[in-house]
Amino acid sequence: VSESSKPPSAALAILNFFRSDPDFGAMIGDLTEEFHERAESFGARAARLWCWKDTFRNAGALTMREIMRTPVRTIVTAFSCVLAINAVTLSYLLYGGAASFNLSRQWRTLLFLQFITPLVLGWVGARLLRGREWALALTYTAASICYVGVGIAVIGLAMSPAAALRLARPLWPLAVWGNGFRQAAFWLGCFLAMLHGRSRGLFKNASKQFFSIALCATIGGVALLGQAATAPQKMSGQWALDVEKSTFGTPLAPGMPAGFKITGQTLKIDPTEREIRLSGDTLYSDSRGPHSAHDNNTLSLDGKATVLGPISLSFRAVDDSAFEILSQLKAPGRNIEEVSRFSISSDGKTLTETKTQTEKGNPDDKAAIKSSVTVLVFRRLPEQ
Amino acid sequence: METSRLLGGFEHLLLLAILRLDERAYGASIRQLLLDQAGKDVAVGAIYTGLDRLERKGFVKSWMGEPTAERGGRSKKFYRLTADGKRALHQINHAIRGLSAGLEGGVTRV
């Protein structure tokens, strides 16, 4: 049999991808026989065209056959995978603390989870449904569409369409990318499981190595990216001073007006990977009446000092729920050090800044002349 | 008729094709017969799906033939009707004849 009277090898490879036992060999034999007859009667080109058309028809037929072989088991496995992937995502959000979750900073971790979890579950699910990997992947996609449909229906029932659109708009890119990642990864997991199931030797070892690496990457990735929930990131957002719960010491800074009293303050903490930006507006009053002031400082998270005239500021990490800002004022005849310790409550709703000011006689003298402690209590403002 | 082993329309056609082809019934020949006699262009994958279902119902029995060069060295999978298959075919044909009796005019007008 000449090469020209053989079906295109790419078409056979595609069919092999959709293979359905136990009669797949006989089916390919029938296809080859008919191709041979058509090539003799109508020419090789017409036979190839027919073969390609029939390849896709057969792919559809074989997929339906695999789904219908054990429909309940396939559907249950696919839905379980959909629910498990959503459970992992939800666990991450809860673990990170829903109140302190920041989409703009934690999207990488979320997308990573949307890839690695479906990849592993696709592999596991496909291993449970050997020979029906392709059917599982297709059913998973259908199950995901149903799940999203139910979610949209629930949102539609709970709120008006306009409110739902307003709520969902910032999440759209993440939802699109996340679902794209989920689908791609799940199909990849099924595909690798299928190749693993049909191969011997080299690929089997290679796929074991691949999954060992994937597992390590998952653990390592979650550990590394999970550090997104460090203290500054937990505190990310806007805060309002609770004047009644705060206690004010006597400020040691030079030039403080008589009768100085803070009446209100808002604070915005905006951390990035390398920096933390603290900005805010303070309302205060003194003997001359009420005033307001705006502050905006950006500090490097590596502890490098930021110098602003006579004041130098630096960041110091404490643990995953606290950090400190050290400031030193060097003015003629004055040497004042201030340590502002920011700590967040376990529920993520309260931020406490404990500001300890110490005045020393001269830079070399460690003995304090005066000290003052101010405790500012902030409550989290809803994100706009 | 045993309701648990009802025949679908496509399965009915497959049984008729196997009966007509006798000992030469395999995927490609059944496909060709369905195309020539019933005007149905069915993918061979769908034919094997139907045959697999019929075999599990116990209506057909299969065996492998010899591999040939024009089939790329692959064997044919032949099918024949079992006694249950013949009975089921008889019953469905009987039911169709009974239900169609006196409706010939109406059926041909469609």
Side-chain angles (χ1 to χ4, degrees):
Chain A
V1 178
S2 69
E3 275 301 311
S4 62
S5 60
K6 284 182 183 172
S9 51
L12 292 183
I14 290 172
L15 270 180
N16 195 47
F17 181 76
F18 293 90
R19 75 175 295 145
S20 172
D21 288 322
D23 35 36
F24 184 72
M27 198 200 93
I28 295 295
D30 289 342
L31 194 80
T32 309
E33 181 184 322
E34 191 164 349
F35 179 86
H36 186 65
E37 286 168 8
R38 282 176 183 264
E40 283 189 344
S41 306
F42 309 111
R45 191 166 179 272
R48 273 199 300 275
L49 277 174
W50 168 83
C51 185
W52 275 109
K53 193 184 93 178
D54 226 50
T55 293
F56 290 107
R57 290 172 71 203
N58 279 310
L62 295 179
T63 302
M64 279 312 294
R65 178 184 184 177
E66 289 304 327
I67 290 174
M68 297 313 290
R69 206 188 281 272
T70 49
V72 175
R73 201 170 158 195
T74 308
I75 291 168
V76 166
T77 307
F79 264 101
S80 302
C81 290
V82 170
L83 293 176
I85 292 162
N86 281 289
V88 168
T89 307
L90 193 64
S91 302
Y92 168 71
L93 295 177
L94 293 176
Y95 166 76
S100 62
F101 176 72
N102 191 312
L103 183 65
S104 61
R105 267 170 289 282
Q106 287 170 260
W107 63 270
R108 278 192 219 92
T109 315
L110 262 181
L111 283 188
F112 177 76
L113 282 176
Q114 306 314 301
F115 184 79
I116 205 74
T117 316
L119 181 73
V120 172
L121 283 172
W123 168 275
V124 173
R127 298 297 290 164
L128 292 173
L129 293 170
R130 285 184 194 191
R132 279 153 289 169
E133 298 90 352
W134 173 249
L136 174 67
L138 203 68
T139 313
Y140 171 81
T141 299
S144 302
I145 292 167
C146 291
Y147 187 86
V148 170
V150 170
I152 289 171
V154 168
I155 291 170
L157 286 172
M159 60 182 76
S160 70
L165 280 175
R166 235 185 356 263
L167 177 78
R169 192 161 291 142
L171 296 173
W172 279 357
L174 188 72
V176 170
W177 280 101
N179 277 301
F181 268 47
R182 283 182 182 191
Q183 295 299 323
F186 193 88
W187 282 64
L188 181 63
C190 290
F191 180 61
L192 290 172
M194 185 176 77
L195 289 180
H196 179 257
R198 290 179 190 173
S199 304
R200 298 281 178 275
L202 184 66
F203 182 78
K204 220 154 192 146
N205 291 332
S207 59
K208 270 182 190 166
Q209 285 169 3
F210 169 81
F211 268 89
S212 304
I213 292 166
L215 190 65
C216 291
T218 309
I219 296 165
V222 168
L224 284 172
L225 295 172
Q227 287 179 356
T230 55
Q233 281 150 352
K234 281 184 179 173
M235 294 175 200
S236 173
Q238 285 202 304
W239 301 85
L241 181 70
D242 189 333
V243 178
E244 287 182 3
K245 288 186 179 172
S246 303
T247 54
F248 301 91
T250 308
L252 300 181
M256 293 300 289
F260 175 83
K261 187 182 173 188
I262 292 175
T263 54
Q265 192 178 61
T266 56
L267 173 67
K268 188 177 180 190
I269 299 178
D270 189 15
T272 61
E273 281 181 17
R274 295 178 182 178
E275 291 177 332
I276 181 168
R277 194 169 71 146
L278 296 140
S279 56
D281 294 292
T282 306
L283 300 173
Y284 65 94
S285 62
D286 58 23
S287 55
R288 287 179 296 167
H291 308 275
S292 68
H294 179 77
D295 289 301
N296 191 351
N297 295 310
T298 302
L299 305 178
S300 176
L301 292 178
D302 61 8
K304 196 176 168 186
T306 301
V307 179
L308 302 164
I311 303 171
S312 80
L313 298 165
S314 58
F315 171 89
R316 184 165 73 189
V318 176
D319 55 34
D320 63 353
S321 63
F323 67 84
E324 289 177 341
I325 292 182
L326 315 174
S327 56
Q328 191 164 32
L329 171 70
K330 285 182 181 171
R334 303 291 298 267
N335 178 19
I336 300 171
E337 281 182 7
E338 181 183 284
V339 179
S340 286
R341 188 185 184 99
F342 291 80
S343 58
I344 191 167
S345 61
S346 56
D347 63 1
K349 290 178 182 171
T350 308
L351 175 70
T352 306
E353 180 189 357
T354 306
K355 199 181 286 197
T356 308
Q357 289 184 324
T358 311
E359 180 158 18
K360 295 172 181 176
N362 62 64
D364 301 324
D365 188 357
K366 291 186 179 176
I369 301 170
K370 280 191 246 174
S371 67
S372 164
V373 178
T374 297
V375 180
L376 303 176
V377 179
F378 294 86
R379 56 187 164 72
R380 188 184 283 279
L381 291 173
E383 279 200 43
Q384 291 173 346
Chain B
M1 188 183 297
E2 291 175 54
T3 51
S4 62
R5 293 202 289 178
L6 277 174
L7 275 180
F10 183 55
E11 290 173 333
H12 186 198
L13 290 179
L14 285 177
L15 287 182
L16 285 170
I18 294 168
L19 190 66
R20 187 171 282 276
L21 287 164
D22 197 19
E23 294 289 306
R24 294 171 289 111
Y26 67 100
S29 64
I30 294 170
R31 179 180 133 76
Q32 196 58 49
L33 189 68
L34 289 177
L35 185 63
D36 296 342
Q37 302 294 319
K40 298 226 174 274
D41 186 8
V42 186
V44 74
I47 288 173
Y48 277 105
T49 304
L51 290 171
D52 186 37
R53 211 160 48 226
L54 287 172
E55 194 163 20
R56 276 187 281 117
K57 286 179 179 176
F59 292 158
V60 298
K61 193 170 166 49
S62 67
W63 74 97
M64 299 305 289
E66 291 300 315
T68 58
E70 60 271 18
R71 291 175 58 83
R74 291 181 176 88
S75 304
K76 289 176 183 173
K77 191 172 185 183
F78 289 103
Y79 291 86
R80 69 161 168 261
L81 260 59
T82 61
D84 277 354
K86 284 178 183 166
R87 199 174 301 118
L89 192 56
H90 172 75
Q91 284 171 339
I92 193 88
N93 285 341
H94 181 72
I96 289 171
R97 271 200 302 275
L99 287 166
S100 311
L103 298 175
E104 285 81 5
V107 171
T108 49
R109 269 205 300 280
V110 176

